Structure formats: C-alpha cells, structure tokens
C-alpha cells in the first residue's frame, strides 16, 4: 500500500538537488519559473497545501493565515529570519512554523567583513575607476581609505551572527565591543577580549565602526533611530547585514548627506522608501556600498537551508517536534 504523501507547496525556485529530494519525499508543487507568487496565488497555496515552504519575500501575515484551510499544518520557511511571518497568528491557528537557523551565520559574517572592507578601503569606487577609465596610474594621495586595524567595532546584537563577526573582526585587529540584551558567556568574552555595553547609546557614541546584527522584531524596528544615529562619531562607518528596518533609513540618508557619518555598508535596504535617488547619489560619492540582500548567498548555504527545510518537514510529518520550530516572541 502506498502512503499518502503530504502536499508541499514551494513558493520560489530552490536549488535543483533540494527540489529533487522534495519531490522524492513529498507530493511537491514547485515554482519552476521562480516568479514571486502574487497575493492571490499565496491564498490559493494556503488553501491547498499541508506544508507551505515560503521564503523571505512572501508576506505571511495574519490576513493570509486566516484564509488557510484546516489542512495547512506547517509553514517551513526557507529562511533564517521570520519577520515576514506572523508566527503568533499561525500558532493560534494551530500551524507550526519552522526556519533555517545556524546555516547562514558564517556566510553573513563574511559578508559583514566584506562590506566593512569595501567601504573603508573604497573597493567599489576603485572598481568603477578602472571600469570608467578614470584610473590614470598610481598616485600617493589617490583613493585613500581608512585603516580598520586598531579601530573599535561596536556590534549591535551579539547572537550567532554577531559573535561570528566578532571572531573575524578580532583577527583583523579590531577591538570588540557589543550591546546585547545579556553579556555573552565568560569563555566567549575572554576569547574575544570583548567589552559589553549595557547602554546602546553609550556604545554608539564611542565606536569607529558599528555592525548591526540583531534580528528584526517590533522591538528593534528603527533601533538606530534619528536620535541614535546622531550619537555616532562623524568619521564612523555603519554596516548593516540585518534587516533594513532596524535603521531609520531616512535619517541615515540625512546623516550621510550632511557629513554627520562617514559611510554606510548595507546588505539590505529597508522596504520603506526602496532605492531612492538620494541613496544612489550617496553611492556615487562613495559614502555608501549597497548590496542586494546577498549576505547569505552561497551555494553551500542554500543547500544547507534546503536540508533544514527537508528535516523539519520530515520530522513534523513523522509526528515529532521539528528541530527548528519558531516560538512566537522568542525566536
Ligand atoms: C534569511 O533567510 O533570513 C536571509 O535574510 C536570506 O538571505
């Protein structure tokens, strides 16, 4: 007798090997052309799927969840962040939510260092100069950046990614400072020779480089507000590989334009405002390096995310607690 396979709907194209395994294990509906699903298509999906596999692009809010049929039991997100999902609404409706933690940590920490160096050593400006022919040969005073060795780095959010950034930054000769809800354990603190700041404001005012590595939750929305951005030293650099919404983007643009801040390296701009002409102007002036949400974009990372999704669905369907369950208000 063949066992009825659970109906799984995947909202975006995933790496081939992940999709193949999904088709082997479940009754899977793939999105082969990789077009983001419209709201209508998402509604159809939650009415049909037993398991939905969305990504960071899909807004799974309370209104969508309220339209889900009783058959929908699991939302196994192909993402680390779950700010795009109303986990509380899902939980109330008896739908379990899982994510893909841990597997993006090292790649995101690498990208944080990449942005830090790109910004401080003017990598994108240098590349453009070669491409547009304005490079006419080496000169002692041309394209000078700022050294990062010996500088103070303040990390906002010392979870897995923040700690991975700290380890790399220490090897680059930066001294490590951080603000977090709680200090890290003693062994980690000793290894990093880190300074804990209970007061975010106090830390921000003293750092040469700030790296934002906290999750986006209602509590961290615009954590780097206009008031806090004004605390930064005028020669400070700000790096954000967390969600754009953690920084007040309008205030950031003003601070950069008014030379109240030396530069920003962003992997992800806030969905509020999008890529404005002001942002592009700052990028042309070398005050800004923006990447299109590439922090975790490695093939290894994507395969491991797929692996987590498969394990979560499999474990759940076998009647056990999936390992990466997201608990409302905690994860
Ligand atoms: C995630 O999964 O939350 C990442 O932002 C995707 O890169």
């Amino acid at each position: 007798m063949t066992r009825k396979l659970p109906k799984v709907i995947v909202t975006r194209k995933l790496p081939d090997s992940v999709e193949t395994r999904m088709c082997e294990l479940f009754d899977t509906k793939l999105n082969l052309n990789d077009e983001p699903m419209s709201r209508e298509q998402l509604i159809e999906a939650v009415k049909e799927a037993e398991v939905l596999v969305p990504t960071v692009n899909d807004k799974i809010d309370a209104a969508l969840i309220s339209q889900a049929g009783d058959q929908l039991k699991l939302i196994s997100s192909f993402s680390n962040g779950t700010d795009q999902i109303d986990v509380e609404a899902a939980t109330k409706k008896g739908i379990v939510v899982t994510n893909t933690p841990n597997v993006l940590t090292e790649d995101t920490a690498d990208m944080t260092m990449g942005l830090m160096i790109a910004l401080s050593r003017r990598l994108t400006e240098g590349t453009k100069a070669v491409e547009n022919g304005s490079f006419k040969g080496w000169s002692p005073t041309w394209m000078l950046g700022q050294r990062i060795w010996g500088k103070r780095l303040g990390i906002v959010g010392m979870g897995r990614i923040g700690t991975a950034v700290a380890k790399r930054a220490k090897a680059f000769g930066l001294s490590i400072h951080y603000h977090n809800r709680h200090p890290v354990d003693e062994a980690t603190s000793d290894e990093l020779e880190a300074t804990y700041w209970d007061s975010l404001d106090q830390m921000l005012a003293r750092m040469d480089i700030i790296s934002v590595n906290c999750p986006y939750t209602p509590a961290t929305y615009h954590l780097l507000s206009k008031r806090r951005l004004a605390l930064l030293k005028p020669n400070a650099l700000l790096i954000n590989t967390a969600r754009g919404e953690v920084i007040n983007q309008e205030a950031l643009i003003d601070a950069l334009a008014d030379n109240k801040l030396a530069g920003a390296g962003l992997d992800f701009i806030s969905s509020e405002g999008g890529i404005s002409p002001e942002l592009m102007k700052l990028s042309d002036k070398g005050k800004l390096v923006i990447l299109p949400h590439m922090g975790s974009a490695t093939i290894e990372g994507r395969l491991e995310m797929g692996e987590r999704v498969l394990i979560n669905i499999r474990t759940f369907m076998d009647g056990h607690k999936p390992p990466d369950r997201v608990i409302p208000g905690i994860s």
Side-chain angles (χ1 to χ4, degrees):
M1 196 182 75
T2 44
R3 191 154 67 113
K4 189 181 164 294
L5 299 175
K7 178 91 199 172
V8 176
I9 299 186
V10 186
T11 68
R12 293 298 294 267
K13 170 105 191 73
L14 302 182
D16 280 347
S17 60
V18 176
E19 290 187 341
T20 307
R21 193 69 189 127
M22 277 199 174
C23 292
E24 286 170 352
L25 294 173
F26 317 119
D27 173 12
T28 306
K29 197 179 201 179
L30 299 172
N31 177 353
L32 294 177
N33 67 16
D34 201 25
E35 283 290 317
M37 278 192 179
S38 64
R39 185 74 176 178
E40 290 67 36
Q41 287 170 319
L42 277 175
I43 293 171
E44 282 304 303
V46 294
K47 288 186 171 173
E48 186 188 342
E50 288 169 77
V51 180
L52 183 73
V53 180
T55 71
V56 286
N57 304 109
D58 304 302
K59 201 166 172 46
I60 315 290
D61 54 17
L64 184 85
I65 288 165
S66 72
Q67 306 230 30
D70 289 342
Q71 83 299 327
L72 183 65
K73 294 284 175 251
L74 175 67
I75 296 173
S76 185
S77 190
F78 187 87
S79 69
N80 179 35
T82 49
D83 47 279
Q84 72 285 6
I85 303 174
D86 191 328
V87 181
E88 204 171 324
T91 308
K92 273 195 192 134
K93 205 171 156 73
I95 302 167
V96 170
V97 177
T98 61
N99 66 341
T100 62
N102 297 319
V103 296
L104 309 185
T105 305
E106 305 305 331
D107 296 327
T108 309
D110 285 346
M111 198 57 114
T112 306
M113 295 309 295
L115 276 170
M116 207 181 289
I117 294 168
L119 187 65
S120 60
R121 299 299 301 277
R122 308 176 65 179
L123 298 193
T124 50
E125 286 174 87
T127 306
K128 277 187 205 153
V130 174
E131 282 168 5
N132 68 23
S134 63
F135 172 59
K136 302 291 181 221
W138 185 86
S139 135
T141 54
W142 188 66
M143 209 47 99
L144 305 183
Q146 285 189 48
R147 176 187 282 171
I148 64 166
W149 186 92
K151 298 279 163 63
R152 291 196 174 93
L153 171 68
I155 298 174
V156 181
M158 195 71 158
R160 286 185 296 259
I161 297 175
T163 306
V165 169
K167 287 184 179 161
R168 284 158 176 75
K170 183 161 192 291
F172 274 84
L174 288 138
S175 67
I176 308 302
H177 297 247
Y178 69 99
H179 168 77
N180 201 40
R181 272 178 299 184
H182 310 287
V184 296
D185 63 80
E186 215 175 306
T188 308
S189 176
D190 288 351
E191 181 195 336
L192 296 169
E193 297 175 77
T195 304
Y196 172 66
W197 292 87
D198 186 32
S199 158
L200 174 59
D201 290 6
Q202 286 290 322
M203 181 180 87
L204 292 176
R206 291 171 161 83
M207 297 296 118
D208 303 304
I209 305 174
I210 299 291
S211 174
V212 182
N213 295 107
C214 59
Y216 168 40
T217 65
T220 62
Y221 175 78
H222 285 193
L223 181 68
L224 271 79
S225 58
K226 188 178 164 88
R227 182 189 67 76
R228 286 207 170 106
L229 288 171
L231 298 172
L232 297 177
K233 298 201 289 190
N235 61 346
L237 302 177
L238 175 65
I239 310 297
N240 186 18
T241 48
R243 296 288 189 252
E245 279 77 3
V246 177
I247 300 179
N248 179 337
Q249 190 169 292
E250 220 176 289
L252 174 64
I253 293 173
D254 289 347
L256 290 167
D258 299 344
N259 295 318
K260 303 258 169 62
L261 183 63
L266 313 175
D267 181 35
F268 194 63
I269 55 152
S270 158
S271 47
E272 305 154 345
I275 304 183
S276 60
E278 286 81 10
L279 272 177
M280 287 331 293
K281 251 188 257 160
L282 290 165
S283 161
D284 291 343
K285 286 188 187 154
K287 302 201 89 180
L288 198 58
V289 177
I290 310 186
L291 297 176
H293 200 162
M294 285 166 60
S296 68
T298 65
I299 181 64
E300 294 86 351
R302 293 289 182 258
L303 293 175
E304 285 172 16
M305 288 170 84
E307 194 58 33
R308 295 309 312 163
V309 169
L310 287 161
I311 290 171
N312 282 314
I313 302 177
R314 219 19 216 282
T315 315
F316 180 78
M317 285 301 163
D318 285 347
H320 305 291
K321 263 199 204 140
D324 304 321
R325 178 158 189 195
V326 181
I327 310 291
I330 294 183
S331 309

